[in-house]
Structure formats: C-alpha cells, structure tokens
Amino acid sequence: MAKYDINELFSNDIPHLKFLSTADGEKEIYDAVSRCLRCGYCETSCPTYSLTGKETLSPRGRNQLVRKLIEGKMKPSDAAAEGLKTCLLCGACTQTCYGKVPTADIVLEARREMSGHGKSLYYKIASMLVSRKNIYSYAIKFLYLLKKSGLTYLSEKLGLFYLLNMPGLEEAQKKALRTPLKFLTEKLEKDERLKGNGKISWIYFSACGTEFIYTENGLATVEILLMVYGDGIIMKNECCGLPAYNYGSLDEARKAARKNMELYRNISMKFNEAPIILDCSSCAAFLKSYPSLFSGNEEEFENAKNFSSKVKDITEFIKPAEILHRLDSQKLEGKRVTIHDSCRASHGQGIKQELRDVLKPVLKEKLCEMPESDHCCGGAGAFAFTNIEISKKILERKIKNISSVRPDIVIASSTSCLMQIEKGLKEMYPSAKIMHYSLFLKEFLLKN
Ligand code: SF4
Ligand code: SF4
C-alpha cells in the first residue's frame, strides 16, 4: 500500500467514513464503531493481537482508531496505518463479540478511504484487472509463460521485486507455477453432460482460484454434483467482485455483481431456479453479501437478496442423507485426516458442522480434530503477499496446530487457505498434504 497522510485523508473538511454497507442496509459507520464497548472480550480471538500483543493490532484497537479518525482526534502515524493494513478481515472478532461489532467491515471501509475509494490509477487498474475474468486469464497465462521462460527467476535473483517495492510479488510469481495453461471452464466446455437439456438441479459458479489455479478441485466438485444431484450447468460467470471490493472500488464490485445476477436471471428463465454452488468459501461468502452492495437501491437490493439466497458453499450443500451411502474409507487405511475451517466458511458463513456431519460417520477415528481449527492461516487473500512477516508467523501457528494431531491429509475450502497451508506444510510438515473438500471426497471416499 502506498504511503499516505492519514490526517489529509481523514480531514474534517471531507465527508469521510460516513456509511457502512451491511446486509440490513446502510448504517452510519460512527454508530457501528460506537457499539464497541472496549470490553476486550474479542482480543484473544484475533490472530494479529494473539501474535503481537499490540493493542493497535487488536479489534478493539482498530475500532478505536477508526473512531478517532472520524472524530478528527487522530494524529498522523504509521502505527495507525499499520493497524488498518494488518487486519486479516477474518471476522473472528465479530463472532466472539456480544454486540456483533463488524470490525472487518469497518476496517475495510477505512482502507477504502485511504485508497481514495479505488479512484487512483493504481487501484483502478488493479481492480479492473482482477475483476474481469477474460483480462485476468490472459494476465495469468502471461505470468505463467514468464515463469516458464525463466524471466521471473532472473528478476528474483536480481532483486527486481524488492527494487519495485513489491516483495509480495516475488511470492505471488512462485505460486503461479501451478497455474495450468487450460483453465477450468475451458476443460468443461465440451462436456456433453453439462449442456443443460432439461431441468437443472444446480448451477456451478467457477471461482477464480479454482478456475485459474486449482482446476482439479472444480472438476471434482462438478463430478460430485453430477453423480449425486443429476443435471446442472456451468454458469460462465464473471469474477465475484471480491478483489475489487477489497481494493476499494465498490463500483467495480457492483459491476461484477450485476453481471452475475443477470447471468443467473437468464439461466433461471431458460431453465429453472436452482442453487448456485461454489467451491471457494471466500467467493461464496462474498456472493452471499451482494445485498449489502445495493443497500441504496430497493429494486437491486431485492434482486441481490434473491440471488444470494440461492448461493451455497459446497461444504454446506452436500447433505449426509444424499451422499453417505456412496462413501467408504477403504482407500484411507492407516491415514489420519484433519479439517482446517477457512475464515470465510466458519466466521463468514457460519459453516463448520456441515462437512463434519458428512465426514465423521465415514472417517470415524481417522478424523482427528486439530486445536484452533478456525484460527486464520494467515493467507487471507492478498494478505500473505502484502504482510509477509505477520502472515508467516500466523502460518507457523497453524502448522503447529496441524502437526500436533499428526495428520496425513488436511482438508480446506478456500483457495487462499489451500495456497497458504500448502506452502506451510512443504516447509514445516511435509508428511501431510492439503486437499480441497471436494477433491478429498472424490479421490478418497466416493465408491466407484
Ligand atoms: S469489538 Fe466487541 S468484543 Fe471486541 S472490544 Fe469491542 S465490544 Fe468488546
Ligand atoms: S477481522 Fe480478524 S484480524 Fe481483523 S480485527 Fe477481527 S479478528 Fe483481528
């Protein structure tokens, strides 16, 4: 994030930090921060506070910081900026807070203020790039080819990423190695089973992480949907809009949401209404929050409510009664399995028990629960690239918790967690591997 002057950005002359978009409509952001009673009950649930013990890096500290900025009492300080920049937006604090203070939303709104609500050229380019799937796909293929040609290796050796003040990019390009040249919807477009010739029971929404990186997870999800629920189709959707939302451009996020809602409307008119299934919990949580993007427009708000009511994370969609008779654990002889609850599944959507209801009866004693299964892994979207040191330390705690139950397989449901924990396991506990829930079901539990 670029350097900025907090006093300048939060000057009393600018109408700033006024509203917070929530699922119940727009709220005065000052009312939201004022609900924080400073009791500190949430502190130990916060990964950055647990790690550093710093009040400015705690939910209470962050709420007080935004409150002071609004009141004009805040002096310019890097510590204040650090408090906002280092929030993982994991939502763990809100879950433990009696008053349900939406600290992550408050922090995000303050960050948008810092970046000029996506109006600077840098943020405009960034949010446009990541929100348009076709442009994004070319950019990723280009990155992949650069890596294959050895140019990114050369840049790394010459320290170019550091010269450009983008050390996180170095991490990002390393992870681009697993990018396939053929993306998920390209792989699925010729599949005759997905033409939707009659009534459909599901619509698959291809999240960017699955589309561009973990295509095998998407293929597994689609196979399970076909096998268990019958006919369905691929939505050929845009990006969900989350990256634009996080980069500060609510307009770009709204554009992506409108396109996806229109696609859904067209599909439901051509076929019938059906659940929209995702296999990335971050994107599923964001699609469920679409109504908050349109809280100022009644018609769009109602459309978004209808759309989001159809959205289902694959981890909640599959019900034990529908699948248990198809599962056994023969292929897992001698193996131990544990579950990492992604923040956007557990804190963002309240999903935790659903996948255990499917897995426990089959895995029995092979399922070994790790401590703090819903503690953030430090991935948090681009957080791992922008806050490298904190992210690494949070990851170490996650891997310590994982290794304490000696698993062979770790199950997760968000792209960011898959990337982050894959990296952590390789470095600190290489005898275990991470798998997406769908892929795990397909590879290990589904009977032939
Ligand atoms: S966010 Fe909630 S739990 Fe945390 S200090 Fe404020 S009121 Fe207490
Ligand atoms: S959202 Fe997560 S990182 Fe941010 S204050 Fe809350 S618990 Fe801490």
Side-chain angles (χ1 to χ4, degrees):
M1 199 172 285
K3 277 263 176 207
Y4 44 82
D5 181 332
I6 283 199
N7 261 3
E8 184 187 307
L9 286 160
F10 294 95
S11 133
N12 277 332
D13 307 330
I14 316 168
H16 55 275
L17 288 176
K18 259 196 109 39
F19 296 111
L20 191 65
S21 291
T22 75
D24 303 322
E26 280 189 341
K27 304 265 184 236
E28 289 268 351
I29 193 165
Y30 191 67
D31 288 347
V33 282
S34 302
R35 268 168 43 206
C36 174
L37 303 171
R38 307 178 215 182
C39 63
Y41 191 68
C42 56
E43 304 284 79
T44 50
S45 69
C46 174
T48 53
Y49 178 75
S50 308
L51 180 71
T52 61
K54 277 173 140 179
E55 179 66 14
T56 48
L57 269 57
S58 75
R60 179 171 62 186
R62 288 177 174 122
N63 283 322
Q64 292 319 305
L65 160 68
V66 177
R67 184 180 179 144
K68 283 182 186 163
L69 291 170
I70 296 171
E71 289 171 344
K73 291 179 184 163
M74 191 76 213
K75 299 269 183 265
S77 90
D78 279 348
E82 192 195 6
L84 295 177
K85 188 180 157 233
T86 52
C87 175
L88 293 141
L89 310 173
C90 65
C93 48
T94 307
Q95 212 176 30
T96 50
C97 169
Y98 284 115
K100 296 288 166 231
V101 176
T103 307
D105 289 334
I106 291 167
V107 167
L108 202 47
E109 190 55 29
R111 280 195 205 163
R112 283 193 205 107
E113 189 75 17
M114 287 193 285
S115 66
H117 289 266
K119 288 196 177 73
S120 77
L121 187 63
Y122 171 77
Y123 283 99
K124 264 191 177 154
I125 292 171
S127 60
M128 189 196 70
L129 191 69
V130 295
S131 301
R132 295 211 170 52
K133 235 176 169 177
N134 52 349
I135 303 178
Y136 195 35
S137 69
Y138 287 123
I140 287 185
K141 282 188 182 181
F142 181 64
L143 191 64
Y144 174 84
L145 290 171
L146 276 186
K147 186 166 179 79
K148 277 277 172 201
S149 69
L151 281 176
T152 50
Y153 175 76
L154 197 62
S155 311
E156 186 186 334
K157 286 288 145 204
L158 293 171
L160 277 185
F161 295 113
Y162 282 88
L163 281 178
L164 290 168
N165 197 23
M166 289 190 287
L169 203 58
E170 186 173 325
E171 288 291 309
Q173 62 87 20
K174 279 181 195 160
K175 286 171 181 171
L177 181 64
R178 68 179 346 283
T179 305
L181 270 180
K182 206 161 187 190
F183 299 140
L184 180 64
T185 42
E186 291 172 304
K187 285 182 181 173
L188 290 171
E189 68 190 353
K190 292 207 173 80
D191 193 326
E192 287 301 320
R193 300 171 301 167
L194 300 166
K195 297 289 181 218
N197 295 320
K199 191 170 156 46
I200 53 169
S201 304
W202 50 271
I203 302 164
Y204 177 74
F205 186 107
S206 173
C208 293
T210 316
E211 173 74 17
F212 300 128
I213 304 171
Y214 293 103
T215 54
E216 67 277 19
N217 299 339
L219 294 173
T221 304
V222 169
E223 278 307 322
I224 294 168
L225 290 171
L226 280 167
M227 187 184 287
V228 181
Y229 300 95
D231 287 342
I233 59 167
I234 309 299
M235 190 154 158
K236 295 191 180 142
N237 52 276
E238 275 296 323
C239 164
C240 66
L242 179 61
Y245 185 79
N246 284 349
Y247 273 113
S249 175
L250 283 176
D251 280 348
E252 283 293 333
R254 284 191 189 104
K255 272 187 210 162
R258 284 191 187 105
K259 279 188 195 158
N260 288 326
M261 293 192 300
E262 194 186 334
L263 269 171
Y264 176 71
R265 234 186 344 266
N266 293 342
I267 291 171
S268 55
M269 277 162 64
K270 189 170 173 196
F271 299 98
N272 50 274
E273 295 222 317
I276 302 162
I277 314 296
L278 286 94
D279 48 26
C280 175
S281 294
S282 302
C283 304
F286 189 62
L287 289 191
K288 286 182 182 180
S289 77
Y290 271 5
S292 68
L293 291 173
F294 300 104
S295 49
N297 179 316
E298 207 177 316
E299 195 186 331
E300 286 196 302
F301 181 73
E302 286 306 316
N303 279 342
K305 250 170 79 179
N306 179 50
F307 177 88
S308 64
S309 71
K310 302 287 184 292
V311 175
K312 298 282 172 224
D313 192 309
I314 190 73
T315 54
E316 67 179 324
F317 184 65
I318 299 175
K319 302 280 184 292
E322 296 155 351
I323 200 167
L324 277 180
H325 61 286
R326 297 175 185 271
L327 306 179
D328 70 35
S329 65
Q330 276 180 16
K331 287 186 211 154
L332 282 169
E333 220 28 71
K335 292 202 184 329
R336 290 163 66 84
V337 179
T338 195
I339 300 169
H340 161 69
D341 293 295
S342 309
C343 296
R344 303 311 294 157
S346 57
H347 310 312
Q349 303 178 72
I351 301 169
K352 216 169 157 183
Q353 191 51 42
E354 289 81 345
L355 67 170
R356 287 170 173 81
D357 289 343
V358 170
L359 295 175
K360 257 187 188 166
V362 195
L363 295 178
K364 300 192 175 82
E365 71 287 350
K366 294 186 183 82
L367 181 64
C368 42
E369 294 281 8
M370 71 170 92
E372 302 180 335
S373 66
D374 60 357
H375 194 86
C376 183
C377 63
F383 187 91
F385 308 139
T386 51
N387 293 278
I388 296 172
E389 282 314 310
I390 297 182
S391 168
K392 260 187 195 158
K393 293 206 170 102
I394 296 173
L395 177 61
E396 278 166 20
R397 178 169 173 163
K398 175 56 66 181
I399 301 299
K400 199 169 159 211
N401 281 326
I402 289 174
S403 60
S404 73
V405 295
R406 295 175 290 105
D408 302 280
I409 297 165
V410 185
I411 295 171
S413 62
S414 271
T415 300
S416 168
C417 308
L418 291 168
M419 288 170 77
Q420 175 82 340
I421 296 177
E422 182 180 338
K423 178 172 161 260
L425 288 175
K426 264 188 199 150
E427 286 167 11
M428 293 172 257
Y429 194 68
S431 61
K433 66 173 177 178
I434 186 144
M435 291 183 89
H436 187 273
Y437 178 56
S438 299
L439 191 62
F440 174 71
L441 286 178
K442 182 173 167 281
E443 299 271 299
F444 284 103
L445 299 185
L446 269 177
K447 293 180 209 164
N448 294 327

